[in-house]
Amino acid sequence: MEPVTPVFFTTAAIQALMPIAPPFLFLDEATVGPSGAQGRYTITGQEFFLAGHFKGNPVMPASVMLEALGQLGVFYLLTGLPADASGGAPTDPRTIFFASCDGVRCHRVCRPGDILELSIKPRRIKAPLAVLEGVIRVGGQKAVGAEEITLTFGPASA
Amino acid sequence: MSPPPENSATAPDQVTEAQLRDSLRRCSEPTIQAALAYRQTKDPSHTLPIVVGIIERYVDPELRSKLTDGGEGLRLIEDLGLDSLTMMEIVMLVEEVVGLTISNDELRGLLTVGDIRTFIDRKAAGLDTTPAAPENNQSPATA
């Protein structure tokens, strides 16, 4: 699939396509276009790990923020990957894994009620690797930046 | 309304210094300088510092000194501890910086730092770059 104009996906559509499910899915909605993807996730306060991170002081873990960006990257690989980058075959959701990341910085603490505005854009894609750049903003303010998130992906077997 | 195709393949000659610096932003300044010089002159003397500088970025910091002392015979997997995915990350960045494409078949023939340097020089000069694989005589499909 290679959308020419950005395509919007609802929570239900995302859950149907993603290999990840609640309680570890951090993507409520997404828009995927030729030059990348944008998504949103509202921190509800009901996330299981917030009961302990931190004691009596719920703060979204930085690792989960990076996970959320990676998940948007997974969704981009499933719905927005240009045919010339994927080798023509659709991506098998079960083949996508995290490979590496570089240049990750957290600029702002995120708490229940915050709406994470996620965005990723491809830097280099050549099967089986995709190098993406990611940013999370809250209310327009930069919360997390990742210079490079690298995911591996493979084609669906015939 | 579609956004500008900022991520589409850019013709080698249209790569700006800013783009090169962005691609190499986690590499040393000498690497960036070598890449800028190579882009302007295509002088093969710059390819070794580019390749070594890009590999350096991905090598475990504890093994980086080997890269400085080791020369072109250094083996990417055995000596520098690179795994196949990291090799591909290196190749992707080398491709972007020098403006060449390296197929996965060709990648299999690159075992040492010198192999990558020789490969780029031959490819840039338009020479045959088929890996000297002893078993496999089938010519790889060029992408």
Side-chain angles (χ1 to χ4, degrees), chain B:
Chain B
M1 195 170 64
S2 64
E6 54 192 290
N7 287 300
S8 63
T10 312
D13 297 324
Q14 294 171 338
V15 174
T16 63
E17 175 171 348
Q19 284 172 305
L20 262 185
R21 285 191 173 275
D22 188 47
S23 300
L24 292 171
R25 60 185 158 184
R26 305 195 72 77
C27 294
S28 66
E29 182 63 25
T31 310
I32 295 169
Q33 290 302 330
L36 288 169
Y38 180 78
R39 282 293 190 166
Q40 282 173 357
T41 64
K42 301 291 175 201
D43 178 350
S45 71
H46 297 301
T47 52
L48 187 61
I50 294 171
V51 168
V52 170
I54 288 176
I55 292 173
E56 183 181 36
R57 177 200 147 168
Y58 290 95
V59 168
D60 190 307
E62 291 167 17
L63 296 173
R64 272 185 199 147
S65 59
K66 281 194 186 181
L67 203 51
T68 333
D69 317 329
E72 297 196 33
L74 267 180
R75 292 167 302 172
L76 301 164
I77 294 168
E78 294 87 342
D79 297 328
L80 295 174
L82 299 172
D83 60 31
S84 60
L85 279 180
T86 311
M87 282 279 291
M88 297 208 63
E89 288 195 65
I90 290 169
V91 163
M92 280 168 82
L93 190 50
V94 168
E95 282 181 331
E96 183 171 292
V97 168
V98 302
L100 294 172
T101 54
I102 304 174
S103 74
N104 289 351
D105 275 333
E106 290 168 329
L107 174 60
R108 271 181 226 121
L110 306 179
L111 303 179
T112 66
V113 173
D115 286 346
I116 303 184
R117 207 250 323 144
T118 308
F119 176 88
I120 294 170
D121 291 348
R122 288 184 67 83
K123 190 137 183 167
L127 299 169
D128 179 29
T129 49
T130 309
E135 303 282 339
N136 183 5
N137 287 323
Q138 292 173 329
S139 62
T142 39

Side-chain angles (χ1 to χ4, degrees), chain A residues 62 65-67 69-70 101-108 110 117-120 123 132-138 141-149, chain B residues 25-26:
Chain A
M65 306 274 269
L66 188 61
E67 170 70 22
L69 279 174
C101 67
D102 261 311
V104 177
R105 292 188 176 277
C106 294
H107 303 277
R108 178 195 190 281
C110 297
E117 300 149 12
L118 308 141
S119 77
I120 57 109
R123 286 176 65 86
L132 313 162
E133 182 175 350
V135 177
I136 302 178
R137 294 178 196 276
V138 175
Q141 193 181 17
K142 192 171 181 180
V144 177
E147 289 181 12
E148 293 191 354
I149 298 172
Chain B
R25 60 185 158 184
R26 305 195 72 77

